[in-house]
Amino acid sequence: MADYDVIVIGAGCGGLSAASILASQGRKTLVLEQSDHVGGCCSTFEKEGYHFDVGASIVEEIQPTEIAFEMLGTKFQDEVDLIDVDPMMSFIYKDGSKVTYPLSVEGTAEVIAKMSPEDGEAFRRFSKYFEGFTEVLMKGFFVSPATSLSDMARLVFNTPALMKYLPLFAKTYQEVLTSYFKSEAVQRTMAYQSLYLGLPPELVSGLFALLPYSEHEGIWYPRGGMVQIPLAFQRCGEKFGMEVRLDTEVVQVLVRNKRAAGVLLGDGTEITADIVVSDINAIKLYLDMIPQDQLPWLARVGMKSYEYSKSVPMVYVGLDYEPPLEAHHSIIASSMEEVNDYWYNNAKKGRLPEKMFGLICWPTMSDPALAPEGHHALNLIPEGFYDLAGTDWDAEKQPFVERTIEDLDSYAIPGLKEHVTITDCATPMDFERRLLMPKGAIYDIQEDLTEQTIFRPSARSKSIKGLYLVGNSTHPGGGVPTVIASGIIASKLIDRYE
C-alpha cells in the first residue's frame, strides 16, 4: 500500500491549489517543497522591518482563484484580505512626466483623450471588445483542460463565443494595438506589457493584447503581502488533512512500468504514492527527474525542443521617505520599437541595458504596514536575463543595483538615492539557486503561440501514467491566476481518471 494517495512536488500556487482541492476530495495528500517557504515567486520576505514580495506583486483576473476557493468550500475574499488598487497604473516618461490611468475604463478613456481624442474613443471600443474576450477566457479557456485536439474542439463547442476572437490568433500584440491606437504617447502606455509574456510586442500573440485592458477589471493587493495567497491554500488544505513539508527536495520521480509510483528525496528516502503532481519546470522534470528509459524517445525530443522563458532580476529597496509615485505599479513608458530593440539588441545578445527599463512596484502605497512607520518599500523589476555576455550575475549584481537606483533617481523617482536605507537583489542566478528555477525562468517555458494550449506539456502526462503537471509549464501558462487555474484543471483530471 502506498504511503500517500497524492504527492505534490512544489508548494507554489499551482501545487498548493491542486493539493488542497485533492485533499478536499478525501485523498491523502503530501506537498514537498525544497525551500523554507511556500509560494515560490508568489511569496514575501522580511528584512530589517521591511517586507518585500519575492516576485508577483498584485492580484488580478481573480475568477480562477475564486473558483478554487469555492471548490474548497470557502471564498477567496474570506480567506485573504484584499485591498483595492486604484489607480491601475502610472506611466513615467523619460522627461519625468507621468500619465496615470484610473481603474475605471471611462476614466482612462478621458485621460487618453487628453493625449489623443481619437485614441480616447478607440480605447472605449478596445475595452468593449476585450471585455467580451476576457469573459470568454475566464469562463472556459483558463479552467478547461488542453491536453489534446479533442479538448480544444470541446472547448470551442462549449464556448462558441470564442470563434469571434479567433482573428486575434493570426495577429501579433503589436499589430492589434497599433490598429486601435495611433498616438505614440498612448502606445507607450501599452508596449511594455508584452514582456509580461516574456517576448517583445512583435512576437507576442495578438490574443494577449487584452493585457492593457484586463487590469481594468480589478486589481487587488493581499494585506500582508503576496504570500497570503499560498498561505490561504495551505491553511484550507490542512483542514482536509493535507501535509506540507518544507526544506525537502525531491530529486527523482519513481516510475514503475511507466506509471508514477512516488518520489525519491535528496536524503535517499523514498515516499510512495499512486499519483504524483509536479509544480516544477517541466523540462527539468522530464529530462532530469524521470528515468530516461521510462520515457518514449519522442517525449525526450519534444522536451528538448522547448525554450526556457524569460528571467528578470528583482531589486528590493527600503526607503525613509514617501517616494513621489502615483500608483502601486508604475512603468517606464517605452515605445513598441524600443521594446523590440531591447529584445534583439540586449536580451538576445546578453547585454544589459544602460538605462532602467521595466516596472516599479510600491506595495506600501496599498499596505503601509509592510514597512516601519514613515518608511516605504519598493520592488524594482528592471529588465534583465540569465545569460550575460562576458560576465555573470555574481559580478554584475551590485553594479546593477547601483545603476538602477541612480537611473531612476535622475527622472522617475527624484530623491530616491538619498533616502535608501537598505537594498537587496535577487538575480536570475539567485532564483535558479534558491527556487531551483532553471536559468531563473519565471514562467518555466516560453509563451509564444507555438508553446500555448496543446503545445505546452500536458497537464495529464502522455508518457507516465499517474503523473500530472501544474504551474507555469502547462496550460494556461505563467502568472498567479493561470497557475491556480492549472491546479483546478489537474484536480479535475485526477478526479476523472484516477
Side-chain angles (χ1 to χ4, degrees), residues 248-276:
T248 306
E249 183 180 356
V250 174
V251 296
Q252 185 178 322
V253 175
L254 301 177
V255 180
R256 307 280 189 261
N257 298 319
K258 297 187 177 172
R259 165 126 200 147
V263 298
L264 175 67
L265 305 184
D267 64 4
T269 302
E270 289 189 2
I271 307 176
T272 59
D274 297 323
I275 302 166
V276 174

mmCIF file of all heavy atoms in Angstrom, residues 248-276:
data_model
loop_
_atom_site.group_PDB
_atom_site.id
_atom_site.type_symbol
_atom_site.label_atom_id
_atom_site.label_comp_id
_atom_site.label_asym_id
_atom_site.label_seq_id
_atom_site.Cartn_x
_atom_site.Cartn_y
_atom_site.Cartn_z
ATOM 1 N N THR A 248 12.527 20.168 1.832
ATOM 2 C CA THR A 248 12.530 18.757 1.431
ATOM 3 C C THR A 248 12.604 18.686 -0.094
ATOM 4 O O THR A 248 11.608 18.919 -0.785
ATOM 5 C CB THR A 248 11.260 18.042 1.917
ATOM 6 O OG1 THR A 248 11.120 18.235 3.338
ATOM 7 C CG2 THR A 248 11.327 16.556 1.623
ATOM 8 N N GLU A 249 13.782 18.368 -0.597
ATOM 9 C CA GLU A 249 13.986 18.370 -2.047
ATOM 10 C C GLU A 249 13.714 16.995 -2.648
ATOM 11 O O GLU A 249 14.213 15.978 -2.163
ATOM 12 C CB GLU A 249 15.409 18.799 -2.396
ATOM 13 C CG GLU A 249 15.648 18.880 -3.904
ATOM 14 C CD GLU A 249 17.049 19.315 -4.261
ATOM 15 O OE1 GLU A 249 17.829 19.630 -3.343
ATOM 16 O OE2 GLU A 249 17.384 19.338 -5.469
ATOM 17 N N VAL A 250 12.933 16.978 -3.707
ATOM 18 C CA VAL A 250 12.700 15.772 -4.495
ATOM 19 C C VAL A 250 13.733 15.734 -5.615
ATOM 20 O O VAL A 250 13.900 16.713 -6.346
ATOM 21 C CB VAL A 250 11.280 15.759 -5.088
ATOM 22 C CG1 VAL A 250 11.094 14.567 -6.018
ATOM 23 C CG2 VAL A 250 10.239 15.735 -3.971
ATOM 24 N N VAL A 251 14.426 14.614 -5.756
ATOM 25 C CA VAL A 251 15.449 14.506 -6.801
ATOM 26 C C VAL A 251 15.027 13.567 -7.928
ATOM 27 O O VAL A 251 15.622 13.590 -9.007
ATOM 28 C CB VAL A 251 16.803 14.056 -6.221
ATOM 29 C CG1 VAL A 251 17.343 15.109 -5.256
ATOM 30 C CG2 VAL A 251 16.703 12.696 -5.532
ATOM 31 N N GLN A 252 14.009 12.744 -7.683
ATOM 32 C CA GLN A 252 13.580 11.833 -8.740
ATOM 33 C C GLN A 252 12.120 11.433 -8.537
ATOM 34 O O GLN A 252 11.645 11.293 -7.409
ATOM 35 C CB GLN A 252 14.451 10.564 -8.745
ATOM 36 C CG GLN A 252 14.143 9.606 -9.884
ATOM 37 C CD GLN A 252 15.071 8.397 -9.878
ATOM 38 O OE1 GLN A 252 16.261 8.509 -9.589
ATOM 39 N NE2 GLN A 252 14.539 7.229 -10.182
ATOM 40 N N VAL A 253 11.427 11.274 -9.650
ATOM 41 C CA VAL A 253 10.097 10.687 -9.632
ATOM 42 C C VAL A 253 10.247 9.183 -9.826
ATOM 43 O O VAL A 253 10.876 8.735 -10.798
ATOM 44 C CB VAL A 253 9.199 11.275 -10.737
ATOM 45 C CG1 VAL A 253 7.846 10.568 -10.773
ATOM 46 C CG2 VAL A 253 9.016 12.775 -10.531
ATOM 47 N N LEU A 254 9.715 8.421 -8.901
ATOM 48 C CA LEU A 254 9.793 6.967 -9.025
ATOM 49 C C LEU A 254 8.780 6.501 -10.070
ATOM 50 O O LEU A 254 7.610 6.913 -10.047
ATOM 51 C CB LEU A 254 9.491 6.307 -7.682
ATOM 52 C CG LEU A 254 10.407 6.699 -6.514
ATOM 53 C CD1 LEU A 254 9.935 6.023 -5.223
ATOM 54 C CD2 LEU A 254 11.857 6.323 -6.806
ATOM 55 N N VAL A 255 9.235 5.660 -10.989
ATOM 56 C CA VAL A 255 8.376 5.176 -12.062
ATOM 57 C C VAL A 255 8.488 3.655 -12.131
ATOM 58 O O VAL A 255 9.604 3.113 -12.176
ATOM 59 C CB VAL A 255 8.753 5.796 -13.422
ATOM 60 C CG1 VAL A 255 7.829 5.281 -14.525
ATOM 61 C CG2 VAL A 255 8.685 7.324 -13.350
ATOM 62 N N ARG A 256 7.369 2.976 -12.107
ATOM 63 C CA ARG A 256 7.327 1.523 -12.242
ATOM 64 C C ARG A 256 6.446 1.175 -13.436
ATOM 65 O O ARG A 256 5.257 1.499 -13.457
ATOM 66 C CB ARG A 256 6.736 0.881 -10.977
ATOM 67 C CG ARG A 256 7.415 1.300 -9.675
ATOM 68 C CD ARG A 256 8.697 0.565 -9.409
ATOM 69 N NE ARG A 256 9.181 0.862 -8.058
ATOM 70 C CZ ARG A 256 10.120 1.757 -7.781
ATOM 71 N NH1 ARG A 256 10.672 2.455 -8.759
ATOM 72 N NH2 ARG A 256 10.509 1.960 -6.517
ATOM 73 N N ASN A 257 7.044 0.555 -14.436
ATOM 74 C CA ASN A 257 6.297 0.170 -15.640
ATOM 75 C C ASN A 257 5.545 1.360 -16.232
ATOM 76 O O ASN A 257 4.366 1.271 -16.566
ATOM 77 C CB ASN A 257 5.328 -0.972 -15.320
ATOM 78 C CG ASN A 257 6.051 -2.219 -14.849
ATOM 79 O OD1 ASN A 257 7.100 -2.583 -15.402
ATOM 80 N ND2 ASN A 257 5.513 -2.861 -13.820
ATOM 81 N N LYS A 258 6.283 2.487 -16.319
ATOM 82 C CA LYS A 258 5.755 3.717 -16.914
ATOM 83 C C LYS A 258 4.533 4.266 -16.179
ATOM 84 O O LYS A 258 3.684 4.931 -16.751
ATOM 85 C CB LYS A 258 5.460 3.516 -18.399
ATOM 86 C CG LYS A 258 6.734 3.188 -19.196
ATOM 87 C CD LYS A 258 6.534 3.146 -20.670
ATOM 88 C CE LYS A 258 7.883 2.885 -21.334
ATOM 89 N NZ LYS A 258 7.783 2.645 -22.766
ATOM 90 N N ARG A 259 4.502 4.007 -14.878
ATOM 91 C CA ARG A 259 3.475 4.583 -14.011
ATOM 92 C C ARG A 259 4.158 5.229 -12.815
ATOM 93 O O ARG A 259 5.080 4.648 -12.220
ATOM 94 C CB ARG A 259 2.513 3.511 -13.524
ATOM 95 C CG ARG A 259 1.656 3.979 -12.356
ATOM 96 C CD ARG A 259 0.200 3.824 -12.568
ATOM 97 N NE ARG A 259 -0.524 4.704 -11.645
ATOM 98 C CZ ARG A 259 -1.666 5.288 -11.897
ATOM 99 N NH1 ARG A 259 -2.233 5.117 -13.069
ATOM 100 N NH2 ARG A 259 -2.254 6.063 -11.018
ATOM 101 N N ALA A 260 3.769 6.447 -12.469
ATOM 102 C CA ALA A 260 4.334 7.121 -11.304
ATOM 103 C C ALA A 260 4.066 6.294 -10.057
ATOM 104 O O ALA A 260 2.967 5.778 -9.859
ATOM 105 C CB ALA A 260 3.725 8.510 -11.160
ATOM 106 N N ALA A 261 5.101 6.174 -9.220
ATOM 107 C CA ALA A 261 4.964 5.349 -8.020
ATOM 108 C C ALA A 261 5.401 6.085 -6.762
ATOM 109 O O ALA A 261 5.370 5.515 -5.676
ATOM 110 C CB ALA A 261 5.794 4.073 -8.175
ATOM 111 N N GLY A 262 5.808 7.360 -6.894
ATOM 112 C CA GLY A 262 6.250 8.113 -5.731
ATOM 113 C C GLY A 262 7.440 8.976 -6.066
ATOM 114 O O GLY A 262 7.687 9.310 -7.239
ATOM 115 N N VAL A 263 8.238 9.323 -5.044
ATOM 116 C CA VAL A 263 9.387 10.202 -5.246
ATOM 117 C C VAL A 263 10.565 9.729 -4.404
ATOM 118 O O VAL A 263 10.404 9.046 -3.385
ATOM 119 C CB VAL A 263 9.052 11.663 -4.875
ATOM 120 C CG1 VAL A 263 7.941 12.214 -5.756
ATOM 121 C CG2 VAL A 263 8.690 11.794 -3.394
ATOM 122 N N LEU A 264 11.752 10.136 -4.850
ATOM 123 C CA LEU A 264 12.996 9.919 -4.108
ATOM 124 C C LEU A 264 13.490 11.268 -3.629
ATOM 125 O O LEU A 264 13.624 12.213 -4.423
ATOM 126 C CB LEU A 264 14.041 9.261 -5.007
ATOM 127 C CG LEU A 264 15.445 9.079 -4.411
ATOM 128 C CD1 LEU A 264 15.421 8.063 -3.270
ATOM 129 C CD2 LEU A 264 16.428 8.657 -5.495
ATOM 130 N N LEU A 265 13.765 11.391 -2.322
ATOM 131 C CA LEU A 265 14.240 12.646 -1.759
ATOM 132 C C LEU A 265 15.759 12.744 -1.811
ATOM 133 O O LEU A 265 16.460 11.744 -2.025
ATOM 134 C CB LEU A 265 13.771 12.780 -0.306
ATOM 135 C CG LEU A 265 12.269 12.659 -0.050
ATOM 136 C CD1 LEU A 265 11.968 12.907 1.428
ATOM 137 C CD2 LEU A 265 11.480 13.612 -0.933
ATOM 138 N N GLY A 266 16.251 13.938 -1.588
ATOM 139 C CA GLY A 266 17.684 14.165 -1.631
ATOM 140 C C GLY A 266 18.454 13.381 -0.600
ATOM 141 O O GLY A 266 19.640 13.079 -0.784
ATOM 142 N N ASP A 267 17.805 13.022 0.510
ATOM 143 C CA ASP A 267 18.492 12.252 1.555
ATOM 144 C C ASP A 267 18.380 10.741 1.336
ATOM 145 O O ASP A 267 18.777 9.947 2.197
ATOM 146 C CB ASP A 267 17.948 12.621 2.943
ATOM 147 C CG ASP A 267 16.463 12.259 3.126
ATOM 148 O OD1 ASP A 267 15.872 11.646 2.212
ATOM 149 O OD2 ASP A 267 15.910 12.590 4.191
ATOM 150 N N GLY A 268 17.807 10.350 0.197
ATOM 151 C CA GLY A 268 17.699 8.929 -0.119
ATOM 152 C C GLY A 268 16.390 8.284 0.279
ATOM 153 O O GLY A 268 16.147 7.109 -0.035
ATOM 154 N N THR A 269 15.507 9.032 0.948
ATOM 155 C CA THR A 269 14.217 8.489 1.364
ATOM 156 C C THR A 269 13.276 8.329 0.172
ATOM 157 O O THR A 269 13.187 9.227 -0.673
ATOM 158 C CB THR A 269 13.546 9.416 2.403
ATOM 159 O OG1 THR A 269 14.417 9.565 3.526
ATOM 160 C CG2 THR A 269 12.202 8.851 2.859
ATOM 161 N N GLU A 270 12.584 7.217 0.123
ATOM 162 C CA GLU A 270 11.548 7.014 -0.884
ATOM 163 C C GLU A 270 10.178 7.170 -0.230
ATOM 164 O O GLU A 270 9.939 6.635 0.857
ATOM 165 C CB GLU A 270 11.643 5.620 -1.518
ATOM 166 C CG GLU A 270 12.844 5.433 -2.425
ATOM 167 C CD GLU A 270 12.773 4.122 -3.203
ATOM 168 O OE1 GLU A 270 11.774 3.375 -3.056
ATOM 169 O OE2 GLU A 270 13.720 3.839 -3.963
ATOM 170 N N ILE A 271 9.294 7.913 -0.878
ATOM 171 C CA ILE A 271 7.909 8.058 -0.428
ATOM 172 C C ILE A 271 7.032 7.636 -1.598
ATOM 173 O O ILE A 271 7.189 8.141 -2.710
ATOM 174 C CB ILE A 271 7.578 9.498 0.001
ATOM 175 C CG1 ILE A 271 8.589 10.020 1.031
ATOM 176 C CG2 ILE A 271 6.169 9.579 0.585
ATOM 177 C CD1 ILE A 271 8.373 11.464 1.424
ATOM 178 N N THR A 272 6.126 6.740 -1.355
ATOM 179 C CA THR A 272 5.326 6.197 -2.443
ATOM 180 C C THR A 272 3.942 6.842 -2.516
ATOM 181 O O THR A 272 3.391 7.300 -1.519
ATOM 182 C CB THR A 272 5.172 4.671 -2.298
ATOM 183 O OG1 THR A 272 4.547 4.391 -1.034
ATOM 184 C CG2 THR A 272 6.525 3.980 -2.364
ATOM 185 N N ALA A 273 3.403 6.875 -3.714
ATOM 186 C CA ALA A 273 2.061 7.395 -3.969
ATOM 187 C C ALA A 273 1.602 6.896 -5.325
ATOM 188 O O ALA A 273 2.422 6.664 -6.219
ATOM 189 C CB ALA A 273 2.037 8.917 -3.924
ATOM 190 N N ASP A 274 0.311 6.777 -5.491
ATOM 191 C CA ASP A 274 -0.248 6.344 -6.767
ATOM 192 C C ASP A 274 -0.307 7.476 -7.781
ATOM 193 O O ASP A 274 -0.391 7.242 -8.988
ATOM 194 C CB ASP A 274 -1.657 5.777 -6.569
ATOM 195 C CG ASP A 274 -1.651 4.537 -5.691
ATOM 196 O OD1 ASP A 274 -0.697 3.739 -5.800
ATOM 197 O OD2 ASP A 274 -2.594 4.377 -4.892
ATOM 198 N N ILE A 275 -0.306 8.715 -7.273
ATOM 199 C CA ILE A 275 -0.394 9.896 -8.134
ATOM 200 C C ILE A 275 0.692 10.875 -7.726
ATOM 201 O O ILE A 275 0.886 11.144 -6.534
ATOM 202 C CB ILE A 275 -1.771 10.577 -7.996
ATOM 203 C CG1 ILE A 275 -2.905 9.602 -8.354
ATOM 204 C CG2 ILE A 275 -1.851 11.826 -8.863
ATOM 205 C CD1 ILE A 275 -4.272 10.091 -7.918
ATOM 206 N N VAL A 276 1.404 11.427 -8.711
ATOM 207 C CA VAL A 276 2.403 12.466 -8.474
ATOM 208 C C VAL A 276 2.013 13.692 -9.289
ATOM 209 O O VAL A 276 1.723 13.588 -10.483
ATOM 210 C CB VAL A 276 3.819 12.008 -8.851
ATOM 211 C CG1 VAL A 276 4.810 13.172 -8.735
ATOM 212 C CG2 VAL A 276 4.258 10.854 -7.961
#
